[in-house]
């Protein structure tokens, strides 16, 4: 066992291999007794190049096994420059079919390709020809298939940008998963404003559809700009009949800066689960661009924890961490009920907190011995919103800064905070979420939790026990298990 210091920012329970580049979750499916989480993965470096489908598998959403990449680009082939994003479904004959975007740098669009696995999702044989050669007229971006079963037919969405400036989710239909007919856009919209100065984008990547009861549903898209690239994740709830989707107002799916490309897994127990790509916020000039700090870390990106998605009668999409995340709770570090201000105690770097924050209260998680470095939570006294700030969360000047607003009502608010070395996922009991990256460099000092402001709080904190994950984590592209990088 090597004594090399652990990378202090590498997550312990958020899924990602020990090294190299990760982006979108792909091919999320429950197949052959396992949940499969494939993901955009470059096994060679920490840069967004030569995308493969990496592969995690789990029987219970708690214990995960990292398997060798399931799909790789074929030299000289349709996907010579990358097996880009898509999803997977179990075919009627029991095989697993993956649908993906076939990337070549000599064309701007990605034909929709397919591959079949007969061994439970470990290896795939690619279909020689694409399922869909290219975009309909008027598209200026085209990629990311999402396939699902709807009654007697199969449906597919493909993300697109249209020449008139609208983002679009284009729909196709099939009876046999092989021959697909274009049915026009399910929804196409010019950029619409969202909270915090964002908008729904001029192009939509990774369109996904979540069907709920009574033909209500939610269309999820990742807002993309032809000039500035990936922006944020958006959803429209609505009602769908005969391929026409009556959409409500757009909702920001996550109120933080670092959550993108959410993808859905319809679980066998009826839940709709969602994972997303959580990107870096270091010195890269824009999302996905190379940066020196990322290169020297040797890894970039991770997947969110799984979230359960529900649609309220009010049309609002709500999220909470999948119930299985509770099973990762280990030792309890804090159980505090009292009045602010107060220093409550220390927590590990992989932690699960439940917090009731009063109307005038705040929370600080200090990550350096002198408390100069901290992640801060405060309340907006008028609106009740929770303000999450990483302005002081890294003494390294290269780390991105800023504060974000998690919508909440005035009065006490119940929060769930999942921390993992350089990521925070924050949820209100009301189902709103905020994800951000932060890069503490405060050394080996224990992280300390303090309540600020005034009013009665309650705080509980547990260690997150990632042993289930660690036991199984290897770097499949390296023959020798790299266990020293894991804890
Ligand atoms: C979204 C995305 C997809 C594409 C993939 C490439 O982050 O750009 O549109 O298929 O990533 O890695």
């Amino acid at each position: 066992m090597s004594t090399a210091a652990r990378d202090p920012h590498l997550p312990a329970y958020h899924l990602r291999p020990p090294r190299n580049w990760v982006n979108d979750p792909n091919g999320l499916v429950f197949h052959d007794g396992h949940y499969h989480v494939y993901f955009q993965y470059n096994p060679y470096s920490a840069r967004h190049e030569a995308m493969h489908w990496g592969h995690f598998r789990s029987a219970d959403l708690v214990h995960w096994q990292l398997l060798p990449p399931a799909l790789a680009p074929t030299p000289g082939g349709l996907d010579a420059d990358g097996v880009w994003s898509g999803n997977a479904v179990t075919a009627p004959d029991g095989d697993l079919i993956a649908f993906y975007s076939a990337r070549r740098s000599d064309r701007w669009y990605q034909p929709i390709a397919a591959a079949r696995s007969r061994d439970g999702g470990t290896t795939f044989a690619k279909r020689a020809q694409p399922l869909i050669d290219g975009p309909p007229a008027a598209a200026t971006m085209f990629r990311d298939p999402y396939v699902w079963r709807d009654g007697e037919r199969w449906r597919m969405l493909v993300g697109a940008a249209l020449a008139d400036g609208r983002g679009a989710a284009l729909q196709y239909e099939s009876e046999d998963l092989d021959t697909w007919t274009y049915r026009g856009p399910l929804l196409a919209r010019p950029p619409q404003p969202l909270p915090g100065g964002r908008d729904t984008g001029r192009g939509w990547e990774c369109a996904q559809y979540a069907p709920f009861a009574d033909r209500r549903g939610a269309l999820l898209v990742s807002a993309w700009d032809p000039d500035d690239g990936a922006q944020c994740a958006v959803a429209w709830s609505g009602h769908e009949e005969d391929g026409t989707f009556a959409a409500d107002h757009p909702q920001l799916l996550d109120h933080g800066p670092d959550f993108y490309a959410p993808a859905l897994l319809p679980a066998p127990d009826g839940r709709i689960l969602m994972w997303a790509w959580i990107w870096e916020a270091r010195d890269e000039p824009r999302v996905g661009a190379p940066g020196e700090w990322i290169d020297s870390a040797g890894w970039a990106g991770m997947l969110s924890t799984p979230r359960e998605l529900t649609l309220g009668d009010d049309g609002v999409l709500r999220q909470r961490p999948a119930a299985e995340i509770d099973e990762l709770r280990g030792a309890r570090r804090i159980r505090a009920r009292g009045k602010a201000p107060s220093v409550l105690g220390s927590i590990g770097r992989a932690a699960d907190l439940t917090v009731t924050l009063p109307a005038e209260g705040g929370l600080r998680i200090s990550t350096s011995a002198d408390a100069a470095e901290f992640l801060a939570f405060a309340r907006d006294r008028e609106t009740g919103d929770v303000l999450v700030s990483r302005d002081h969360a890294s003494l390294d000047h290269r780390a991105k800064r800023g504060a974000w607003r998690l919508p909440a009502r005035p009065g006490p608010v119940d929060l769930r905070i999942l921390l993992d070395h350089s990521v925070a996922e924050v949820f209100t009991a009301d189902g709103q979420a905020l994800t951000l990256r932060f890069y503490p460099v405060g050394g080996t000092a224990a992280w300390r939790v303090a309540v600020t402001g005034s009013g009665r709080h309650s705080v509980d904190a547990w260690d997150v026990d990632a042993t289930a994950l660690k036991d199984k984590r290897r770097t499949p592209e390296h023959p020798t298990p790299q266990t020293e990088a894991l804890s």
Side-chain angles (χ1 to χ4, degrees):
M1 182 118 162
S2 148
T3 52
R6 186 192 190 284
D7 179 329
H9 301 136
L10 191 67
Y13 64 95
H14 284 74
L15 293 180
R16 60 151 295 118
R19 295 185 51 73
N20 299 324
W21 171 277
V22 165
N23 59 298
D24 313 355
N26 294 149
L28 304 179
V29 66
F30 185 83
H31 176 78
D32 208 14
H34 287 95
Y35 296 89
H36 296 268
V37 171
Y38 302 92
F39 53 96
Q40 290 285 281
Y41 177 48
N42 175 3
Y44 308 115
S45 81
R47 296 191 173 192
H48 185 238
E49 293 161 3
M51 301 316 302
H52 291 49
W53 278 27
H55 188 191
F56 276 104
R57 187 176 75 171
S58 170
D60 57 8
L61 295 172
V62 176
H63 301 80
W64 291 92
Q65 185 179 13
L66 177 59
L67 295 167
L71 286 165
T74 299
L78 184 69
D79 54 18
D81 296 308
V83 179
W84 278 17
S85 290
N87 85 329
V89 299
T90 306
D93 64 6
D95 290 351
L96 183 66
I97 315 286
F99 300 86
Y100 67 93
S101 316
R103 163 78 176 172
R104 280 186 72 106
S105 51
D106 55 9
R107 48 168 154 65
W108 61 263
Y109 60 90
Q110 285 76 47
I112 306 308
R116 178 180 290 265
S117 173
R118 298 186 195 279
D119 63 359
T122 310
T123 61
F124 284 85
K126 292 180 183 171
R127 190 183 191 274
Q129 298 301 321
L131 290 176
I132 300 170
D133 288 333
T140 56
M141 181 274 272
F142 181 82
R143 55 177 167 263
D144 307 336
Y146 181 79
V147 174
W148 78 104
R149 182 82 179 163
D150 185 5
E152 293 303 299
R153 61 196 173 138
W154 294 98
R155 302 175 66 187
M156 181 195 287
L157 294 180
V158 179
L162 303 182
D164 62 8
R166 290 181 299 166
L170 307 179
Q171 48 178 341
Y172 294 78
E173 254 180 52
S174 171
E175 284 180 7
D176 60 3
L177 290 172
D178 213 50
T179 306
W180 291 89
T181 309
Y182 180 52
R183 295 281 185 230
L186 180 69
L187 191 70
R189 287 283 162 88
Q192 291 179 262
L194 291 167
R198 299 189 258 201
D199 66 49
T200 60
R202 290 192 280 163
W204 297 349
E205 296 185 309
C206 302
Q208 314 268 313
Y209 192 74
F212 292 99
D214 305 325
R215 295 217 71 88
R216 294 169 75 228
L219 172 68
L220 273 55
V221 308
S222 290
W224 174 87
D225 185 273
D227 300 318
D228 301 325
Q231 302 296 310
C232 59
V234 187
W236 281 267
S237 61
H239 190 263
E240 195 264 354
E241 205 100 53
D242 297 328
T244 304
F245 185 63
D248 219 322
H249 301 296
Q251 307 168 34
L252 200 50
L253 253 182
D254 185 287
H255 298 270
D258 300 325
F259 179 96
Y260 195 71
L264 301 175
L265 189 153
D269 59 9
R271 286 180 298 172
I272 297 184
L273 300 177
M274 177 175 81
W275 281 256
W277 167 32
I278 301 177
W279 57 44
E280 297 300 315
R282 303 189 195 234
D283 58 345
E284 66 284 4
R286 55 176 251 184
V287 172
E292 264 178 41
W293 194 7
I294 290 179
D295 280 347
S296 67
W299 63 276
M302 68 180 80
L303 303 183
S304 69
T305 50
R307 302 179 180 184
E308 296 173 13
L309 209 57
T310 52
L311 178 59
D313 291 338
D314 52 6
V316 176
L317 270 176
R318 296 193 163 80
Q319 301 164 48
R320 58 170 173 245
E324 287 84 350
I325 299 297
D326 295 9
E327 294 176 36
L328 296 173
R329 282 181 183 168
R332 184 197 281 268
R333 295 289 201 101
I334 295 175
R335 180 179 170 80
R337 310 280 181 273
K339 279 191 173 167
S342 170
V343 177
L344 304 182
S346 61
I347 55 170
R349 288 160 197 231
D352 182 345
L353 289 81
T354 56
V355 176
T356 302
L357 215 54
E360 318 223 312
L363 187 79
R364 265 186 192 203
I365 297 166
S366 313
T367 54
S368 66
D370 60 1
E373 192 182 68
F374 59 89
L375 191 62
F377 300 74
R379 301 295 303 281
D380 178 323
R381 289 184 192 179
E382 272 169 34
T383 64
D385 290 351
V386 179
L387 305 169
V388 186
S389 166
R390 66 179 176 198
D391 275 338
H392 302 277
S394 182
L395 297 174
D396 189 317
H397 69 275
R398 296 172 298 178
K400 294 196 165 68
R401 293 174 197 279
W404 284 267
R405 208 170 254 280
L406 179 59
R409 295 201 196 91
V413 65
D414 293 327
L415 300 176
R416 175 90 179 265
I417 304 174
L418 298 175
L419 295 174
D420 194 0
H421 294 84
S422 62
V423 63
E425 291 187 81
V426 188
F427 300 85
T428 61
D430 192 34
Q432 298 295 311
L434 185 154
T435 303
L436 55 63
R437 297 295 306 276
F438 64 108
Y439 299 89
V441 293
T444 53
W447 289 9
R448 295 178 72 76
V449 179
V451 281
T452 56
S454 60
R456 298 197 71 80
H457 61 263
S458 100
V459 177
D460 292 278
W462 293 263
D463 285 343
V464 173
D465 179 3
T467 337
L469 247 166
K470 284 192 295 190
D471 290 347
K472 297 287 168 117
R473 268 199 198 187
R474 293 177 291 115
T475 321
E477 71 274 15
H478 297 304
T480 319
Q482 306 245 312
T483 42
E484 73 274 13
L486 302 178
S487 60

